[in-house]
Amino acid sequence: MSFWNFQALGYDFLVYGVVFFMLFIIVYMLPKYNTTWSFAAHLSLLASFSILHGMAEFFEMQRLKNPIEWLTWSSCILMLTSYVPLLEFTRRTWNEIFRSFRLSEPWMFGTASLMLAGLALSSSASVDELLDVLRLFVVAFATLLSGIALFATVLTLTKRDRTGPKAGWLLILGLVFVCYGASSFMLFQPDLSPPTPFLAFSLFDPSVQSLRTVCAVLASLGLVSLVLLAGENCQIDAIAFEWSQKALVITDANNVILRINNAFTESTGFTPEDVVGRGIGLLKSGRHEDDFYQAIQESVDRSGNWQGEIWERRKNGEIYLSWLFVTAVKNFTGAVVYYVGMRIDITERKAMEEEIKRLAFYDPLTKLPNRLLLRDRLKHCIEVERRAGQNRLALLMLDLDRFKAVNDRLGHKAGDELLQQVAERITNRLRNVDMVARLGGDEFIVMLENIVNPQDASRVAEDIIRELSKPFTLSENHDVWIGASIGISLYQQHGDSLEILMDHADKALYQAKDQGRGCFAYFSEDLTIAARERIELEARLRRAIQQQELCVYYQPQVDIASGLIVGAEALVRWIDPNEGLIPPARFIPIAEETSLIEEIGEWVLRETCNQGQYWLVTGLPPITLAVNISPYQLKRCDINALAATVLAESGFPAQLLELEITESGIMENQDNVMELLDSLRSQGIRLAIDDFGTGYSSLAYLKSFPLNVLKIDKRFIDDIPYSKDGMEIAATIIAMGHTLGLKVLAEGVETPEQLAFLRERHCDTYQGYIKSRPLPAKEFANLMHSQLDDMVNKRHPLSSYQH
Ligand SMILES: Nc1nc2c(ncn2[C@@H]2O[C@H](COP(=O)(O)O[C@H]3[C@@H](O)[C@H](n4cnc5c(=O)[nH]c(N)nc54)O[C@@H]3COP(=O)(O)O)[C@@H](O)[C@H]2O)c(=O)[nH]1
């Protein structure tokens, strides 16, 4: 016997269909549900399938089983899946639903169980009795489970103080399910009458089926209450969304804006009409790279949310800083369906923070860092130096001279203005990495980072003193003259802690003041003397260039095989009217530290070429003239262009000009030196590598350069004949130079033993006091003339030395 009354089931599902259809009308038409279109669409689907299913059951009743069996099953499955949007609608994931069974809203679990029951109920048309019994059991069990779940919901709601009509409805629904399940079990009793159609006849029928029918009606009402409840929740959410004080934006998974709230409109000026349907990129400020947005997206997709500062754009184009919190809303499969973004405009807060920071760490008058910030930064720098094992930090303590007089005479307002101008002048002199702070009153402190040598600090000090000794024009046309004294302490040399360095800079400042103000002093006297000498020499050198106190001396370069002078090295000399000859070793390093080397180098090159051309014109035999090129010239000037100009202007043949570049000069300019040497060579200019053996150039590297001559450094020649190692090095360099196809010249040859050794080792040329010291042009020309005379008298053949 079959337990199923297909007609009754048909009625059941037709009723469900009508109920769902009415629900669809309610949630779609009534704006208070504030529902999404998709939810309404799913309700309508649910209604359609319920009706379809009801009809299918009727057909089943009339034994039109086979043609519509597929329809019955498929409608049943579709009905089940139609509940998925209902879950989504409540914005819960499956995980949360199961968690909520324990914690909060297990009615969703009840709904799921009901669906299971629906599936079992709707599986139709089987004549297999055993299967019917099984299905009935499943229906009974699932319905009971639903009832229990609903009871649990009531309990939870009561606990959460959310009693009232919702809890009442759910209580009824729970009872209904329990009765429905119990009545289904009762159907196992064979003596009970078979089920009858539920709507038409069963209401007054005292049979079990009547009970089931009443339960079915009540279950429909329960479902209605569930949807209404969901609608209410949704309405609460919508109100909370709209009236939240935080600007909220909901986008879909493709970042297309779906909704914004009032706070968002207030804060950005964008209305829903402006933004809904458009990409979130509309809010971009242009201050962040694409990587930034990509990182946010990755973080949200990975961890579900992201928060941080972001610059965005208001409707009026204004850029503002906001704190953004983005959360991904996922569906039950774990796929992102929405992004909810909450924005808090923090522009003002940030400005306030900045202001607080400014007040705490900056001097309000000059806007310079104050003592606190200086201490902080200094501490950090000392730590960095300590870790790197370097000493590149200097502290300059500065005190204004005659500031008090200005303040007393012209008033505080003028004093303040003066301090502001002082701060500006000091700042202008410094590099970005340096820092100047105002300690208070007329005291300033400068922190110099990455100084190359101790003299750098005095150079900066001197510049600042010079700048501050120029007149200041204050408002009301007051011109005032002040000055400054500076005390310098160096990290490591004068102290390795913040306190000691500050204290020693302060003591040095007092020394500077004692020495008559308007000057600097290091904490250690020897440094002060050396630095002041240097600065004085620099000033004198500038004057010397202007007053043409520089001249070029020429030191002969001799062919070892023939003993003839085949070239000369041009060496600059400074003849000071008072001090006499000042050697280049004293002033070239100073010139290199300043831009003076460019001026001096150009002058020496021009002077040498002019001299060489003059000698050629006046009948001296052609010899090579070698000019030193400083590594700093290589860095800062276009030597190639300069050489071309000078050669063209003087008429001196390029083949007779040799440029000497030190090994370290090549190594320091590796990036562009090859290109430069190539272009010099293509002009026909000869190239020599100076001071060879003192640097660290690799042979393979050297081989790649278009060189002509290799000059062995004097220190190796000095070793001859005293040091076996030194001699071996000299011999090796000669052999190596020849292997590379270069001529080898030995520098600083002073003794016949050295010369003999070099001859024995087939060194090509030499230069040294044994032949001659560097000579003024006139004396060098005389030397050349006497060599010519000797050659004529002794009929000595000209050197076979080939360039
Ligand atoms: N960039 C430029 N540098 C130049 C220029 N003129 C000179 N210099 C460099 O100055 C350094 C010192 O030069 P100087 O005092 O002229 O000394 C040179 C010779 O006088 C000296 N020398 C030569 N033979 C001997 C000797 O037998 N004994 C001895 N004690 N000294 C000797 O060697 C110096 C030449 O060196 P180098 O240039 O390496 O060949 C010096 O580094 C010059 O380069 C200039 O115009 N520009």
Side-chain angles (χ1 to χ4, degrees), residues 555 569-573 584-585 588 597 604 628-630 633 660 690-691 711 714 747-750 767-769 774:
Q555 184 174 35
E569 180 178 2
L571 295 159
V572 69
R573 294 290 180 267
I588 290 284
I597 191 66
V604 171
N628 288 285
I629 301 293
S630 152
Q633 273 176 284
E660 287 188 12
D690 202 1
D691 302 340
K711 291 183 80 175
K714 179 177 179 307
E747 284 189 277
V749 179
E750 293 180 343
Q767 186 180 332
Y769 292 175

Side-chain angles (χ1 to χ4, degrees), residues 36-141:
T36 57
W37 184 88
S38 69
F39 177 61
H42 277 103
L43 270 181
S44 77
L45 252 185
L46 205 56
S48 318
F49 281 113
S50 293
I51 291 168
L52 203 63
H53 191 78
M55 285 165 66
E57 294 292 350
F58 272 119
F59 285 128
E60 184 64 23
M61 182 190 74
Q62 288 158 32
R63 296 288 176 263
L64 294 173
K65 179 180 155 189
N66 288 336
I68 41 78
E69 188 164 4
W70 65 270
L71 187 66
T72 309
W73 276 106
S74 59
S75 64
C76 199
I77 289 163
L78 278 169
M79 228 178 91
L80 185 64
T81 57
S82 300
Y83 276 82
V84 169
L86 187 68
L87 301 182
E88 247 185 52
F89 177 63
T90 60
R91 301 201 187 107
R92 300 284 190 276
T93 62
W94 278 109
N95 271 348
E96 284 170 318
I97 289 160
F98 285 114
R99 207 171 48 228
S100 70
F101 178 72
R102 191 166 38 87
L103 295 174
S104 58
E105 295 177 359
W107 57 269
M108 288 310 303
F109 188 75
T111 313
S113 302
L114 180 64
M115 292 309 101
L116 196 62
L119 179 65
L121 268 171
S122 61
S123 59
S124 61
S126 173
V127 289
D128 184 349
E129 209 168 275
L130 203 62
L131 202 62
D132 280 355
V133 171
L134 187 67
R135 275 201 309 244
L136 198 57
F137 181 76
V138 169
V139 171
F141 184 73

